[in-house]
mmCIF file of all heavy atoms in Angstrom:
data_model
loop_
_atom_site.group_PDB
_atom_site.id
_atom_site.type_symbol
_atom_site.label_atom_id
_atom_site.label_comp_id
_atom_site.label_asym_id
_atom_site.label_seq_id
_atom_site.Cartn_x
_atom_site.Cartn_y
_atom_site.Cartn_z
ATOM 1 N N PHE A 1 7.318 -0.039 1.434
ATOM 2 C CA PHE A 1 8.114 -1.181 1.842
ATOM 3 C C PHE A 1 8.713 -1.031 3.236
ATOM 4 O O PHE A 1 9.478 -1.871 3.684
ATOM 5 C CB PHE A 1 9.227 -1.431 0.813
ATOM 6 C CG PHE A 1 8.703 -1.681 -0.557
ATOM 7 C CD1 PHE A 1 8.769 -0.691 -1.518
ATOM 8 C CD2 PHE A 1 8.113 -2.870 -0.884
ATOM 9 C CE1 PHE A 1 8.273 -0.903 -2.789
ATOM 10 C CE2 PHE A 1 7.601 -3.089 -2.144
ATOM 11 C CZ PHE A 1 7.686 -2.105 -3.102
ATOM 12 N N ASP A 2 8.362 0.040 3.940
ATOM 13 C CA ASP A 2 8.843 0.224 5.297
ATOM 14 C C ASP A 2 7.990 -0.499 6.323
ATOM 15 O O ASP A 2 8.335 -0.533 7.498
ATOM 16 C CB ASP A 2 8.889 1.717 5.655
ATOM 17 C CG ASP A 2 10.035 2.447 4.982
ATOM 18 O OD1 ASP A 2 10.978 1.769 4.531
ATOM 19 O OD2 ASP A 2 9.990 3.687 4.912
ATOM 20 N N LEU A 3 6.883 -1.055 5.921
ATOM 21 C CA LEU A 3 5.909 -1.582 6.872
ATOM 22 C C LEU A 3 6.033 -3.073 7.130
ATOM 23 O O LEU A 3 5.199 -3.658 7.788
ATOM 24 C CB LEU A 3 4.497 -1.254 6.409
ATOM 25 C CG LEU A 3 4.144 0.231 6.410
ATOM 26 C CD1 LEU A 3 2.720 0.437 5.986
ATOM 27 C CD2 LEU A 3 4.353 0.839 7.781
ATOM 28 N N GLY A 4 7.041 -3.716 6.613
ATOM 29 C CA GLY A 4 7.215 -5.113 6.917
ATOM 30 C C GLY A 4 7.764 -5.896 5.756
ATOM 31 O O GLY A 4 8.123 -5.336 4.728
ATOM 32 N N PRO A 5 7.858 -7.213 5.901
ATOM 33 C CA PRO A 5 8.391 -8.058 4.840
ATOM 34 C C PRO A 5 7.609 -7.915 3.540
ATOM 35 O O PRO A 5 6.384 -8.037 3.529
ATOM 36 C CB PRO A 5 8.242 -9.471 5.412
ATOM 37 C CG PRO A 5 8.098 -9.282 6.891
ATOM 38 C CD PRO A 5 7.433 -7.973 7.077
ATOM 39 N N ARG A 6 8.312 -7.660 2.444
ATOM 40 C CA ARG A 6 7.655 -7.393 1.187
ATOM 41 C C ARG A 6 6.831 -8.572 0.690
ATOM 42 O O ARG A 6 5.810 -8.379 0.034
ATOM 43 C CB ARG A 6 8.696 -7.016 0.124
ATOM 44 C CG ARG A 6 8.059 -6.648 -1.204
ATOM 45 C CD ARG A 6 9.090 -6.327 -2.263
ATOM 46 N NE ARG A 6 8.428 -6.061 -3.538
ATOM 47 C CZ ARG A 6 9.038 -5.941 -4.689
ATOM 48 N NH1 ARG A 6 10.330 -6.053 -4.741
ATOM 49 N NH2 ARG A 6 8.360 -5.714 -5.785
ATOM 50 N N GLU A 7 7.243 -9.794 1.039
ATOM 51 C CA GLU A 7 6.527 -10.946 0.507
ATOM 52 C C GLU A 7 5.083 -11.015 0.994
ATOM 53 O O GLU A 7 4.254 -11.722 0.418
ATOM 54 C CB GLU A 7 7.247 -12.253 0.880
ATOM 55 C CG GLU A 7 7.408 -12.498 2.380
ATOM 56 C CD GLU A 7 8.767 -12.020 2.876
ATOM 57 O OE1 GLU A 7 9.339 -11.137 2.214
ATOM 58 O OE2 GLU A 7 9.228 -12.508 3.910
ATOM 59 N N TYR A 8 4.785 -10.271 2.044
ATOM 60 C CA TYR A 8 3.416 -10.272 2.533
ATOM 61 C C TYR A 8 2.511 -9.345 1.738
ATOM 62 O O TYR A 8 1.299 -9.442 1.790
ATOM 63 C CB TYR A 8 3.365 -9.854 4.007
ATOM 64 C CG TYR A 8 3.804 -10.944 4.959
ATOM 65 C CD1 TYR A 8 5.045 -10.917 5.550
ATOM 66 C CD2 TYR A 8 2.963 -11.994 5.260
ATOM 67 C CE1 TYR A 8 5.444 -11.901 6.433
ATOM 68 C CE2 TYR A 8 3.350 -12.984 6.140
ATOM 69 C CZ TYR A 8 4.590 -12.935 6.723
ATOM 70 O OH TYR A 8 4.990 -13.913 7.591
ATOM 71 N N TRP A 9 3.107 -8.410 1.047
ATOM 72 C CA TRP A 9 2.309 -7.407 0.349
ATOM 73 C C TRP A 9 2.247 -7.725 -1.128
ATOM 74 O O TRP A 9 3.077 -8.462 -1.675
ATOM 75 C CB TRP A 9 2.894 -6.004 0.535
ATOM 76 C CG TRP A 9 3.387 -5.727 1.904
ATOM 77 C CD1 TRP A 9 4.575 -5.163 2.262
ATOM 78 C CD2 TRP A 9 2.733 -5.992 3.153
ATOM 79 N NE1 TRP A 9 4.699 -5.065 3.611
ATOM 80 C CE2 TRP A 9 3.589 -5.568 4.180
ATOM 81 C CE3 TRP A 9 1.487 -6.561 3.485
ATOM 82 C CZ2 TRP A 9 3.254 -5.690 5.517
ATOM 83 C CZ3 TRP A 9 1.153 -6.679 4.805
ATOM 84 C CH2 TRP A 9 2.025 -6.239 5.813
ATOM 85 N N ARG A 10 1.275 -7.139 -1.786
ATOM 86 C CA ARG A 10 1.215 -7.293 -3.221
ATOM 87 C C ARG A 10 2.414 -6.620 -3.861
ATOM 88 O O ARG A 10 2.899 -5.607 -3.396
ATOM 89 C CB ARG A 10 -0.086 -6.725 -3.789
ATOM 90 C CG ARG A 10 -0.322 -5.250 -3.545
ATOM 91 C CD ARG A 10 -1.677 -4.859 -4.137
ATOM 92 N NE ARG A 10 -2.072 -3.521 -3.728
ATOM 93 C CZ ARG A 10 -1.675 -2.409 -4.262
ATOM 94 N NH1 ARG A 10 -0.832 -2.445 -5.235
ATOM 95 N NH2 ARG A 10 -2.102 -1.245 -3.836
ATOM 96 N N LYS A 11 2.928 -7.181 -4.938
ATOM 97 C CA LYS A 11 4.141 -6.692 -5.565
ATOM 98 C C LYS A 11 3.871 -5.378 -6.286
ATOM 99 O O LYS A 11 2.893 -5.222 -6.999
ATOM 100 C CB LYS A 11 4.692 -7.729 -6.531
ATOM 101 C CG LYS A 11 5.123 -9.025 -5.850
ATOM 102 C CD LYS A 11 5.635 -10.030 -6.855
ATOM 103 C CE LYS A 11 6.038 -11.319 -6.148
ATOM 104 N NZ LYS A 11 6.512 -12.329 -7.113
ATOM 105 N N ALA A 12 4.753 -4.456 -6.104
ATOM 106 C CA ALA A 12 4.638 -3.155 -6.738
ATOM 107 C C ALA A 12 5.757 -2.982 -7.753
ATOM 108 O O ALA A 12 6.844 -3.519 -7.591
ATOM 109 C CB ALA A 12 4.709 -2.039 -5.698
ATOM 110 N N PRO A 13 5.507 -2.257 -8.846
ATOM 111 C CA PRO A 13 6.542 -2.056 -9.848
ATOM 112 C C PRO A 13 7.684 -1.212 -9.305
ATOM 113 O O PRO A 13 7.477 -0.194 -8.659
ATOM 114 C CB PRO A 13 5.790 -1.337 -10.966
ATOM 115 C CG PRO A 13 4.640 -0.659 -10.289
ATOM 116 C CD PRO A 13 4.253 -1.561 -9.159
ATOM 117 N N LEU A 14 8.896 -1.641 -9.553
ATOM 118 C CA LEU A 14 10.077 -0.913 -9.139
ATOM 119 C C LEU A 14 10.921 -0.583 -10.354
ATOM 120 O O LEU A 14 11.206 -1.449 -11.170
ATOM 121 C CB LEU A 14 10.908 -1.730 -8.146
ATOM 122 C CG LEU A 14 10.284 -2.004 -6.772
ATOM 123 C CD1 LEU A 14 11.181 -2.926 -5.971
ATOM 124 C CD2 LEU A 14 10.068 -0.720 -6.023
ATOM 125 N N ASP A 15 11.320 0.647 -10.498
ATOM 126 C CA ASP A 15 12.225 1.049 -11.548
ATOM 127 C C ASP A 15 13.020 2.250 -11.078
ATOM 128 O O ASP A 15 12.821 2.763 -9.978
ATOM 129 C CB ASP A 15 11.493 1.345 -12.864
ATOM 130 C CG ASP A 15 10.387 2.395 -12.710
ATOM 131 O OD1 ASP A 15 10.677 3.470 -12.158
ATOM 132 O OD2 ASP A 15 9.261 2.142 -13.148
ATOM 133 N N LYS A 16 13.949 2.721 -11.919
ATOM 134 C CA LYS A 16 14.837 3.800 -11.513
ATOM 135 C C LYS A 16 14.102 5.102 -11.232
ATOM 136 O O LYS A 16 14.539 5.923 -10.433
ATOM 137 C CB LYS A 16 15.906 4.026 -12.586
ATOM 138 C CG LYS A 16 15.355 4.454 -13.948
ATOM 139 C CD LYS A 16 16.476 4.661 -14.958
ATOM 140 C CE LYS A 16 15.906 5.111 -16.315
ATOM 141 N NZ LYS A 16 16.993 5.342 -17.294
ATOM 142 N N ASP A 17 12.978 5.307 -11.929
ATOM 143 C CA ASP A 17 12.216 6.526 -11.724
ATOM 144 C C ASP A 17 11.264 6.431 -10.533
ATOM 145 O O ASP A 17 10.858 7.448 -9.972
ATOM 146 C CB ASP A 17 11.420 6.873 -12.984
ATOM 147 C CG ASP A 17 12.319 7.164 -14.178
ATOM 148 O OD1 ASP A 17 13.372 7.798 -13.966
ATOM 149 O OD2 ASP A 17 11.956 6.762 -15.306
ATOM 150 N N HIS A 18 10.888 5.218 -10.163
ATOM 151 C CA HIS A 18 9.985 5.005 -9.042
ATOM 152 C C HIS A 18 10.565 3.923 -8.139
ATOM 153 O O HIS A 18 10.107 2.779 -8.147
ATOM 154 C CB HIS A 18 8.591 4.614 -9.528
ATOM 155 C CG HIS A 18 7.946 5.634 -10.397
ATOM 156 N ND1 HIS A 18 8.150 5.671 -11.762
ATOM 157 C CD2 HIS A 18 7.124 6.676 -10.123
ATOM 158 C CE1 HIS A 18 7.476 6.672 -12.275
ATOM 159 N NE2 HIS A 18 6.851 7.305 -11.305
ATOM 160 N N PRO A 19 11.596 4.265 -7.350
ATOM 161 C CA PRO A 19 12.236 3.255 -6.500
ATOM 162 C C PRO A 19 11.323 2.741 -5.395
ATOM 163 O O PRO A 19 11.565 1.701 -4.821
ATOM 164 C CB PRO A 19 13.430 4.005 -5.916
ATOM 165 C CG PRO A 19 13.030 5.448 -5.961
ATOM 166 C CD PRO A 19 12.211 5.589 -7.215
ATOM 167 N N PHE A 20 10.273 3.455 -5.076
ATOM 168 C CA PHE A 20 9.282 3.000 -4.116
ATOM 169 C C PHE A 20 7.960 3.677 -4.440
ATOM 170 O O PHE A 20 7.886 4.613 -5.218
ATOM 171 C CB PHE A 20 9.706 3.321 -2.680
ATOM 172 C CG PHE A 20 9.776 4.798 -2.382
ATOM 173 C CD1 PHE A 20 8.663 5.484 -1.937
ATOM 174 C CD2 PHE A 20 10.966 5.494 -2.553
ATOM 175 C CE1 PHE A 20 8.721 6.841 -1.679
ATOM 176 C CE2 PHE A 20 11.028 6.864 -2.290
ATOM 177 C CZ PHE A 20 9.906 7.532 -1.849
ATOM 178 N N ARG A 21 6.908 3.198 -3.869
ATOM 179 C CA ARG A 21 5.637 3.884 -4.037
ATOM 180 C C ARG A 21 5.032 4.125 -2.677
ATOM 181 O O ARG A 21 5.336 3.429 -1.702
ATOM 182 C CB ARG A 21 4.680 3.074 -4.913
ATOM 183 C CG ARG A 21 4.088 1.844 -4.266
ATOM 184 C CD ARG A 21 3.006 1.258 -5.179
ATOM 185 N NE ARG A 21 2.408 0.067 -4.622
ATOM 186 C CZ ARG A 21 1.473 0.068 -3.690
ATOM 187 N NH1 ARG A 21 1.052 1.190 -3.183
ATOM 188 N NH2 ARG A 21 0.973 -1.065 -3.239
ATOM 189 N N HIS A 22 4.213 5.121 -2.589
ATOM 190 C CA HIS A 22 3.547 5.433 -1.341
ATOM 191 C C HIS A 22 2.294 4.589 -1.181
ATOM 192 O O HIS A 22 1.803 3.972 -2.116
ATOM 193 C CB HIS A 22 3.206 6.921 -1.274
ATOM 194 C CG HIS A 22 4.419 7.799 -1.214
ATOM 195 N ND1 HIS A 22 5.253 7.814 -0.123
ATOM 196 C CD2 HIS A 22 4.941 8.673 -2.089
ATOM 197 C CE1 HIS A 22 6.241 8.677 -0.351
ATOM 198 N NE2 HIS A 22 6.074 9.203 -1.532
ATOM 199 N N LEU A 23 1.807 4.575 0.032
ATOM 200 C CA LEU A 23 0.670 3.744 0.360
ATOM 201 C C LEU A 23 -0.630 4.343 -0.158
ATOM 202 O O LEU A 23 -0.820 5.549 -0.160
ATOM 203 C CB LEU A 23 0.580 3.574 1.874
ATOM 204 C CG LEU A 23 1.760 2.830 2.516
ATOM 205 C CD1 LEU A 23 1.902 3.258 3.964
ATOM 206 C CD2 LEU A 23 1.552 1.352 2.447
ATOM 207 N N ASP A 24 -1.503 3.473 -0.581
ATOM 208 C CA ASP A 24 -2.843 3.869 -0.966
ATOM 209 C C ASP A 24 -3.752 3.643 0.242
ATOM 210 O O ASP A 24 -3.675 2.607 0.894
ATOM 211 C CB ASP A 24 -3.313 3.034 -2.158
ATOM 212 C CG ASP A 24 -4.645 3.506 -2.685
ATOM 213 O OD1 ASP A 24 -4.823 4.717 -2.842
ATOM 214 O OD2 ASP A 24 -5.527 2.661 -2.924
ATOM 215 N N TYR A 25 -4.598 4.611 0.566
ATOM 216 C CA TYR A 25 -5.393 4.480 1.776
ATOM 217 C C TYR A 25 -6.835 4.924 1.564
ATOM 218 O O TYR A 25 -7.153 5.656 0.634
ATOM 219 C CB TYR A 25 -4.772 5.274 2.929
ATOM 220 C CG TYR A 25 -4.887 6.780 2.784
ATOM 221 C CD1 TYR A 25 -5.934 7.482 3.378
ATOM 222 C CD2 TYR A 25 -3.950 7.515 2.065
ATOM 223 C CE1 TYR A 25 -6.043 8.854 3.258
ATOM 224 C CE2 TYR A 25 -4.046 8.887 1.932
ATOM 225 C CZ TYR A 25 -5.098 9.552 2.535
ATOM 226 O OH TYR A 25 -5.208 10.922 2.398
ATOM 227 N N GLY A 26 -7.693 4.465 2.459
ATOM 228 C CA GLY A 26 -9.080 4.873 2.480
ATOM 229 C C GLY A 26 -9.490 5.222 3.894
ATOM 230 O O GLY A 26 -8.797 4.902 4.860
ATOM 231 N N VAL A 27 -10.624 5.888 4.018
ATOM 232 C CA VAL A 27 -11.147 6.312 5.319
ATOM 233 C C VAL A 27 -12.538 5.732 5.489
ATOM 234 O O VAL A 27 -13.337 5.702 4.549
ATOM 235 C CB VAL A 27 -11.169 7.848 5.439
ATOM 236 C CG1 VAL A 27 -11.665 8.273 6.828
ATOM 237 C CG2 VAL A 27 -9.779 8.435 5.176
ATOM 238 N N SER A 28 -12.839 5.271 6.690
ATOM 239 C CA SER A 28 -14.101 4.599 6.975
ATOM 240 C C SER A 28 -15.300 5.508 6.779
ATOM 241 O O SER A 28 -15.200 6.735 6.839
ATOM 242 C CB SER A 28 -14.102 4.056 8.403
ATOM 243 O OG SER A 28 -14.010 5.129 9.336
ATOM 244 N N GLY A 29 -16.454 4.859 6.559
ATOM 245 C CA GLY A 29 -17.699 5.587 6.412
ATOM 246 C C GLY A 29 -18.424 5.738 7.730
ATOM 247 O O GLY A 29 -17.802 5.894 8.788
ATOM 248 N N ALA A 30 -19.734 5.694 7.659
ATOM 249 C CA ALA A 30 -20.553 5.878 8.849
ATOM 250 C C ALA A 30 -20.293 4.772 9.868
ATOM 251 O O ALA A 30 -19.916 3.656 9.528
ATOM 252 C CB ALA A 30 -22.034 5.885 8.470
ATOM 253 N N SER A 31 -20.496 5.110 11.131
ATOM 254 C CA SER A 31 -20.197 4.172 12.210
ATOM 255 C C SER A 31 -21.043 2.912 12.158
ATOM 256 O O SER A 31 -20.653 1.880 12.682
ATOM 257 C CB SER A 31 -20.384 4.868 13.568
ATOM 258 O OG SER A 31 -21.720 5.350 13.704
ATOM 259 N N ASN A 32 -22.218 2.982 11.505
ATOM 260 C CA ASN A 32 -23.073 1.798 11.404
ATOM 261 C C ASN A 32 -22.729 0.922 10.201
ATOM 262 O O ASN A 32 -23.316 -0.129 10.012
ATOM 263 C CB ASN A 32 -24.550 2.203 11.359
ATOM 264 C CG ASN A 32 -24.889 3.044 10.148
ATOM 265 O OD1 ASN A 32 -23.987 3.625 9.513
ATOM 266 N ND2 ASN A 32 -26.169 3.115 9.818
ATOM 267 N N ASP A 33 -21.785 1.360 9.366
ATOM 268 C CA ASP A 33 -21.359 0.577 8.210
ATOM 269 C C ASP A 33 -19.919 0.974 7.878
ATOM 270 O O ASP A 33 -19.632 1.537 6.829
ATOM 271 C CB ASP A 33 -22.289 0.826 7.023
ATOM 272 C CG ASP A 33 -22.285 -0.340 6.034
ATOM 273 O OD1 ASP A 33 -21.518 -1.299 6.240
ATOM 274 O OD2 ASP A 33 -23.053 -0.301 5.069
ATOM 275 N N VAL A 34 -19.019 0.632 8.788
ATOM 276 C CA VAL A 34 -17.661 1.155 8.785
ATOM 277 C C VAL A 34 -16.904 0.817 7.511
ATOM 278 O O VAL A 34 -16.205 1.656 6.937
ATOM 279 C CB VAL A 34 -16.894 0.622 10.018
ATOM 280 C CG1 VAL A 34 -15.433 1.038 9.952
ATOM 281 C CG2 VAL A 34 -17.542 1.126 11.296
ATOM 282 N N PHE A 35 -17.047 -0.410 7.012
ATOM 283 C CA PHE A 35 -16.233 -0.877 5.897
ATOM 284 C C PHE A 35 -16.911 -0.761 4.538
ATOM 285 O O PHE A 35 -16.409 -1.306 3.556
ATOM 286 C CB PHE A 35 -15.807 -2.332 6.135
ATOM 287 C CG PHE A 35 -14.448 -2.446 6.748
ATOM 288 C CD1 PHE A 35 -14.284 -2.283 8.109
ATOM 289 C CD2 PHE A 35 -13.326 -2.675 5.973
ATOM 290 C CE1 PHE A 35 -13.031 -2.381 8.696
ATOM 291 C CE2 PHE A 35 -12.072 -2.766 6.536
ATOM 292 C CZ PHE A 35 -11.916 -2.624 7.909
ATOM 293 N N GLU A 36 -18.021 -0.058 4.473
ATOM 294 C CA GLU A 36 -18.708 0.070 3.198
ATOM 295 C C GLU A 36 -17.824 0.734 2.145
ATOM 296 O O GLU A 36 -17.850 0.382 0.969
ATOM 297 C CB GLU A 36 -19.998 0.876 3.373
ATOM 298 C CG GLU A 36 -20.802 1.019 2.083
ATOM 299 C CD GLU A 36 -22.026 1.889 2.242
ATOM 300 O OE1 GLU A 36 -22.156 2.542 3.296
ATOM 301 O OE2 GLU A 36 -22.851 1.916 1.321
#
């Protein structure tokens, strides 16, 4: 939630044990098919 207005992002579950969640990320593939 540090990356901008929350309404732009998909809603994440919030509770006392998980007050925030970390980002999920991926890494690109080969240069000829970057987003595969």
Side-chain angles (χ1 to χ4, degrees):
F1 301 104
D2 286 342
L3 294 182
R6 183 182 177 190
E7 59 265 24
Y8 284 103
W9 319 133
R10 60 182 170 82
K11 296 179 181 179
L14 293 175
D15 55 51
K16 62 180 181 179
D17 297 321
H18 300 87
F20 65 88
R21 73 172 179 80
H22 294 292
L23 296 154
D24 186 46
Y25 71 95
V27 182
S28 63
S31 59
N32 62 341
D33 204 357
V34 174
F35 264 81
E36 182 184 10

